[in-house]
Amino acid sequence: MAEEEQTQLNYVVETVLKKRKQKEDWAIKRRERRDAKRKRKEDFKSAIKRPEQFVKEYRDKELDFVRMRNRVKLRKVSVDALKSKLLFVIRLRGKRDMHPKTKQILNKLRLPHILSGVFLKASESNLKMLLMVEPYVTYGYPNLKSVKELIYRKGCGKVEKEIVPLTNNEVIEQTLGQYGMICVEDMVHEIANLGPHFGEANHFLQPFKLKCPERRLSVSKRPFKDGGDTGNREEHINELISKLN
């Protein structure tokens, strides 16, 4: 008799759990439908622009271009003033209302997306481009530890128009073996020391996709030396790389 009561009790508990599970599923579906409806409304509102929005975007684009031109006129770039010829550049910001010239330079630097990073060899032309897009990027001198961790953790190469992770040395040997690089360590050495085939190795490496930190970056357009986040951080770039890698 006791066993029958026990069996009946388990049956009732199981039924209650099923009903509770159904209610939870309904609640989740209702919430998803509500969120989808809210998103459709927001997308519809954002798709409709008022005339003053067009005017503001146009003025912002023109202001961005004027400031770019003034930076190039007022500030001179010099490779000799740098402590290191190897730079790591990270794109921090990006606005839809950037001037087309700004977007063009960011694309030329291989930084079309926010929180993407590339190695760069310091030259007059490269420093001039960095100056032109300074409010949107930060850069500095990566140490050997940062170079190694970036390549080992997030390194990807382009082989026959396909992007492949650097999970084995065969990929590097097939593509860069003619330049004396047959493993990841060889590539790290070539990049870190600005070797004679730095250009080939860097071209093979795809822009690094850095992670967004748990607490979103609050990016200021002011230069790093003035308490902001953009421009040259010198050795402090390694702290940011560690945070985003």
Side-chain angles (χ1 to χ4, degrees):
M1 187 66 179
E3 291 180 359
E4 292 179 359
E5 290 179 357
Q6 182 66 29
T7 303
Q8 186 177 4
L9 181 61
N10 288 339
Y11 178 75
V12 173
V13 171
E14 188 177 354
T15 305
V16 171
L17 288 174
K18 284 183 178 179
K19 287 184 178 179
R20 188 181 300 167
K21 181 70 168 60
Q22 286 177 347
K23 288 182 179 179
E24 290 176 355
D25 292 341
W26 290 337
I28 291 171
K29 288 180 181 178
R30 281 199 303 271
R31 187 163 59 248
E32 289 176 350
R33 284 197 297 267
R34 188 170 62 247
D35 292 343
K37 187 176 180 180
R38 186 186 301 117
K39 188 177 185 303
R40 284 197 299 271
K41 285 184 177 180
E42 291 174 356
D43 291 343
F44 180 73
K45 288 180 180 178
S46 62
I48 300 175
K49 290 186 177 181
R50 297 182 178 181
E52 52 266 29
Q53 285 180 288
F54 286 102
V55 173
K56 184 180 183 303
E57 286 184 8
Y58 176 78
R59 287 177 176 172
D60 287 343
K61 287 179 182 180
E62 290 304 306
L63 183 61
D64 182 40
F65 182 70
V66 170
R67 286 173 175 169
M68 177 199 299
R69 206 165 47 186
N70 290 341
R71 280 195 302 273
V72 175
K73 283 183 180 179
L74 298 175
R75 293 165 56 185
K76 301 300 179 183
V77 294
S78 173
V79 178
D80 297 331
L82 298 179
K83 298 178 183 177
S84 171
K85 300 299 184 289
L86 176 64
L87 305 175
F88 188 71
V89 189
I90 303 173
R91 179 173 172 180
L92 294 177
R93 305 178 61 253
K95 297 192 301 181
R96 294 178 183 176
D97 52 355
M98 292 191 294
H99 193 272
K101 182 69 173 177
T102 305
K103 291 182 180 179
Q104 181 185 350
I105 295 171
L106 287 171
N107 289 333
K108 193 172 182 179
L109 289 168
R110 302 198 300 162
L111 295 170
H113 306 295
I114 297 172
L115 290 183
S116 56
V118 293
F119 291 110
L120 201 65
K121 186 175 181 179
S123 65
E124 295 288 339
S125 59
N126 285 339
L127 290 179
K128 184 177 179 181
M129 285 194 291
L130 290 176
L131 181 61
M132 295 172 80
V133 297
E134 188 180 72
Y136 305 95
V137 301
T138 188
Y139 59 94
Y141 317 131
N143 55 30
L144 178 60
K145 179 175 179 287
S146 294
V147 174
K148 183 176 289 189
E149 288 183 351
L150 279 166
I151 293 176
Y152 271 95
R153 289 184 185 180
K154 296 188 180 296
C156 290
K158 199 168 189 178
V159 181
E160 296 180 355
K161 298 183 179 181
E162 288 189 10
I163 297 175
V164 294
L166 304 180
T167 52
N168 62 70
N169 294 325
E170 290 182 7
V171 176
I172 297 173
E173 186 175 5
Q174 289 173 2
T175 312
L176 300 173
Q178 57 184 317
Y179 305 113
M181 287 174 269
I182 60 173
C183 61
V184 178
E185 197 61 37
D186 289 341
M187 177 180 285
V188 170
H189 182 270
E190 191 73 17
I191 295 291
N193 294 286
L194 287 174
H197 299 291
F198 170 86
E200 289 83 355
N202 196 37
H203 180 73
F204 168 73
L205 271 177
Q206 294 303 290
F208 296 90
K209 295 180 180 179
L210 305 174
K211 69 179 182 182
C212 184
E214 293 181 3
R215 296 185 63 183
R216 279 190 166 275
L217 292 171
S218 54
V219 181
S220 168
K221 293 176 72 172
R222 287 185 302 165
F224 183 78
K225 63 180 181 179
D226 297 333
D229 297 292
T230 62
N232 192 356
R233 293 176 178 242
E234 299 188 348
E235 292 83 0
H236 294 288
I237 192 68
N238 295 292
E239 300 169 13
L240 186 60
I241 291 173
S242 179
K243 187 184 296 184
L244 302 178
N245 192 9

